[in-house]
Amino acid sequence: MENLFHRTSVRKYLDKPIEKEKILQILRAAMAAPSACNQQPWRFTVVTDRALIARLAATSPYATFAAEAPVLLVISYRKDCQLPEFAPVDTSAALENLWIETDALGLGGVWMGVYPRQERMAKVAEIAVLPQEEEAFALYALGYPAGEIKPHDRFHEEWIRWK
Protein backbone atom coordinates (compact mmCIF):
# COMPACT_ATOMS: atom_id res chain seq x y z
CA MET A 1 0.00 0.00 0.00
CA GLU A 2 3.02 2.28 0.39
CA ASN A 3 3.11 3.27 -3.29
CA LEU A 4 -0.53 4.43 -3.07
CA PHE A 5 0.73 7.19 -0.78
CA HIS A 6 3.91 7.75 -2.78
CA ARG A 7 2.15 8.16 -6.14
CA THR A 8 1.83 11.82 -7.12
CA SER A 9 1.67 14.01 -10.21
CA VAL A 10 5.13 14.37 -11.75
CA ARG A 11 5.48 17.15 -14.32
CA LYS A 12 9.29 17.42 -14.68
CA TYR A 13 11.35 14.64 -16.18
CA LEU A 14 14.96 13.73 -16.74
CA ASP A 15 16.10 13.62 -20.36
CA LYS A 16 16.37 9.86 -20.23
CA PRO A 17 14.57 7.28 -22.37
CA ILE A 18 12.27 4.76 -20.72
CA GLU A 19 12.99 1.10 -21.28
CA LYS A 20 10.40 -0.70 -23.43
CA GLU A 21 10.10 -3.42 -20.77
CA LYS A 22 9.00 -0.84 -18.19
CA ILE A 23 6.42 0.64 -20.55
CA LEU A 24 5.04 -2.83 -21.22
CA GLN A 25 4.93 -3.59 -17.47
CA ILE A 26 2.99 -0.37 -16.86
CA LEU A 27 0.52 -1.26 -19.61
CA ARG A 28 0.20 -4.81 -18.26
CA ALA A 29 -0.81 -3.32 -14.90
CA ALA A 30 -3.33 -1.05 -16.63
CA MET A 31 -4.90 -3.99 -18.43
CA ALA A 32 -5.30 -5.87 -15.14
CA ALA A 33 -8.02 -3.40 -14.11
CA PRO A 34 -11.62 -4.52 -13.67
CA SER A 35 -14.22 -3.52 -16.25
CA ALA A 36 -17.98 -3.80 -16.70
CA CYS A 37 -18.81 -7.26 -18.11
CA ASN A 38 -15.03 -7.70 -18.55
CA GLN A 39 -15.30 -5.58 -21.71
CA GLN A 40 -11.76 -4.17 -21.37
CA PRO A 41 -12.44 -1.16 -23.62
CA TRP A 42 -9.09 0.58 -23.07
CA ARG A 43 -6.51 1.08 -25.78
CA PHE A 44 -3.05 2.65 -25.50
CA THR A 45 -0.90 4.53 -28.00
CA VAL A 46 2.74 4.93 -26.94
CA VAL A 47 4.22 8.13 -28.37
CA THR A 48 7.98 8.78 -28.30
CA ASP A 49 8.25 11.02 -31.36
CA ARG A 50 9.19 14.48 -29.99
CA ALA A 51 7.22 16.43 -32.61
CA LEU A 52 4.10 14.34 -32.05
CA ILE A 53 4.42 14.68 -28.26
CA ALA A 54 4.62 18.47 -28.67
CA ARG A 55 1.49 18.54 -30.84
CA LEU A 56 -0.45 16.42 -28.36
CA ALA A 57 0.74 18.50 -25.40
CA ALA A 58 -0.64 21.59 -27.14
CA THR A 59 -4.20 20.19 -27.14
CA SER A 60 -4.86 21.45 -23.61
CA PRO A 61 -3.60 24.46 -21.67
CA TYR A 62 -3.01 22.07 -18.77
CA ALA A 63 -0.78 19.72 -20.76
CA THR A 64 1.93 22.01 -22.14
CA PHE A 65 4.58 20.68 -19.70
CA ALA A 66 4.07 17.22 -21.26
CA ALA A 67 6.04 18.36 -24.32
CA GLU A 68 9.17 17.62 -22.26
CA ALA A 69 8.18 14.07 -21.29
CA PRO A 70 10.13 11.28 -22.98
CA VAL A 71 6.91 9.27 -23.44
CA LEU A 72 3.32 10.37 -23.84
CA LEU A 73 0.58 7.78 -23.66
CA VAL A 74 -2.67 8.43 -25.48
CA ILE A 75 -5.34 6.48 -23.63
CA SER A 76 -8.51 5.77 -25.54
CA TYR A 77 -11.47 3.42 -25.32
CA ARG A 78 -13.59 1.48 -27.79
CA LYS A 79 -17.00 2.95 -28.54
CA ASP A 80 -18.26 -0.41 -29.83
CA CYS A 81 -17.92 -2.29 -26.54
CA GLN A 82 -20.76 -4.12 -24.79
CA LEU A 83 -21.56 -1.32 -22.31
CA PRO A 84 -20.18 1.89 -23.88
CA GLU A 85 -21.59 4.09 -21.12
CA PHE A 86 -19.19 2.38 -18.69
CA ALA A 87 -16.11 2.61 -20.94
CA PRO A 88 -14.86 5.89 -19.38
CA VAL A 89 -15.23 4.43 -15.88
CA ASP A 90 -13.41 1.26 -16.90
CA THR A 91 -10.64 3.28 -18.53
CA SER A 92 -10.27 5.36 -15.36
CA ALA A 93 -9.63 2.16 -13.40
CA ALA A 94 -6.98 1.13 -15.93
CA LEU A 95 -5.34 4.53 -15.69
CA GLU A 96 -5.15 4.33 -11.90
CA ASN A 97 -3.45 0.92 -12.14
CA LEU A 98 -1.08 2.36 -14.74
CA TRP A 99 -0.18 5.25 -12.43
CA ILE A 100 0.45 3.05 -9.41
CA GLU A 101 2.73 0.78 -11.44
CA THR A 102 4.54 3.83 -12.83
CA ASP A 103 5.50 4.79 -9.29
CA ALA A 104 6.39 1.21 -8.33
CA LEU A 105 8.93 1.15 -11.19
CA GLY A 106 10.60 4.38 -10.05
CA LEU A 107 9.05 6.46 -12.80
CA GLY A 108 6.78 9.48 -12.63
CA GLY A 109 3.72 10.47 -14.54
CA VAL A 110 0.62 12.58 -14.63
CA TRP A 111 -2.89 12.01 -15.96
CA MET A 112 -4.18 14.83 -18.16
CA GLY A 113 -7.89 14.68 -18.80
CA VAL A 114 -9.16 14.88 -22.34
CA TYR A 115 -12.59 13.32 -21.76
CA PRO A 116 -15.31 14.69 -21.55
CA ARG A 117 -14.22 17.81 -23.47
CA GLN A 118 -15.36 16.98 -27.00
CA GLU A 119 -13.03 19.50 -28.66
CA ARG A 120 -9.98 18.01 -26.88
CA MET A 121 -11.12 14.46 -27.54
CA ALA A 122 -11.46 15.21 -31.26
CA LYS A 123 -8.10 16.99 -31.48
CA VAL A 124 -6.21 14.22 -29.67
CA ALA A 125 -7.92 11.56 -31.81
CA GLU A 126 -6.95 13.47 -34.95
CA ILE A 127 -3.31 14.02 -33.99
CA ALA A 128 -2.83 10.46 -32.68
CA VAL A 129 -4.71 9.06 -35.70
CA LEU A 130 -6.95 6.92 -33.53
CA PRO A 131 -9.18 4.36 -35.24
CA GLN A 132 -12.75 5.53 -35.87
CA GLU A 133 -14.15 3.11 -33.27
CA GLU A 134 -12.11 4.70 -30.46
CA GLU A 135 -12.61 7.82 -28.33
CA ALA A 136 -9.67 9.73 -26.85
CA PHE A 137 -9.87 9.64 -23.07
CA ALA A 138 -6.64 11.01 -21.57
CA LEU A 139 -3.00 11.81 -22.04
CA TYR A 140 -0.42 10.45 -19.62
CA ALA A 141 3.07 11.95 -19.49
CA LEU A 142 5.70 9.44 -18.41
CA GLY A 143 9.34 9.74 -17.48
CA TYR A 144 12.02 9.50 -14.83
CA PRO A 145 11.24 12.21 -12.25
CA ALA A 146 13.59 15.22 -12.27
CA GLY A 147 13.07 15.71 -8.53
CA GLU A 148 12.29 13.85 -5.35
CA ILE A 149 8.84 12.34 -4.92
CA LYS A 150 7.52 12.79 -1.40
CA PRO A 151 4.84 10.55 0.13
CA HIS A 152 1.54 12.18 0.98
CA ASP A 153 -1.56 11.30 2.94
CA ARG A 154 -4.88 12.61 1.69
CA PHE A 155 -7.02 10.83 4.25
CA HIS A 156 -9.86 12.93 5.69
CA GLU A 157 -11.85 11.07 8.30
CA GLU A 158 -14.49 13.80 8.25
CA TRP A 159 -15.43 12.70 4.70
CA ILE A 160 -16.63 9.35 6.05
CA ARG A 161 -20.18 8.72 7.23
CA TRP A 162 -21.00 5.83 9.54
CA LYS A 163 -24.62 4.68 9.63
Side-chain angles (χ1 to χ4, degrees):
M1 193 158 109
E2 183 62 32
N3 66 339
L4 292 175
F5 297 108
H6 193 261
R7 185 229 40 89
T8 192
S9 296
V10 174
R11 293 179 175 86
K12 294 184 191 251
Y13 309 97
L14 297 176
D15 185 18
K16 178 180 176 180
I18 300 170
E19 300 84 347
K20 182 178 179 180
E21 298 76 29
K22 287 187 177 183
I23 296 169
L24 290 173
Q25 182 63 29
I26 288 165
L27 296 176
R28 180 180 300 278
M31 292 180 203
S35 62
C37 294
N38 198 29
Q39 65 182 350
Q40 302 172 26
W42 43 72
R43 296 295 182 265
F44 305 92
T45 303
V46 180
V47 182
T48 57
D49 177 86
R50 301 300 321 152
L52 190 53
I53 288 173
R55 288 182 61 209
L56 288 162
T59 61
S60 167
Y62 307 105
T64 56
F65 68 89
E68 303 304 316
V71 173
L72 190 62
L73 300 177
V74 176
I75 292 104
S76 54
Y77 61 83
R78 291 185 355 264
K79 296 185 277 188
D80 63 346
C81 56
Q82 185 177 354
L83 296 168
E85 65 274 24
F86 287 99
V89 176
D90 296 342
T91 306
S92 292
L95 235 166
E96 181 68 11
N97 278 14
L98 183 151
W99 209 346
I100 292 167
E101 186 62 16
T102 294
D103 182 75
L105 293 175
L107 297 166
V110 67
W111 172 349
M112 294 157 287
V114 172
Y115 173 89
R117 302 278 173 95
Q118 289 297 320
E119 70 282 357
R120 290 183 192 163
M121 293 168 69
K123 194 66 174 167
V124 168
E126 175 190 331
I127 294 169
V129 193
L130 295 181
Q132 185 67 30
E133 67 274 6
E134 292 180 27
E135 289 276 18
F137 180 74
L139 298 173
Y140 185 82
L142 179 63
Y144 283 95
E148 182 185 354
I149 297 175
K150 296 180 181 171
H152 56 274
D153 187 349
R154 296 181 176 160
F155 181 76
H156 297 277
E157 193 166 350
E158 66 273 14
W159 295 356
I160 301 169
R161 289 182 201 89
W162 297 88
K163 303 229 179 191

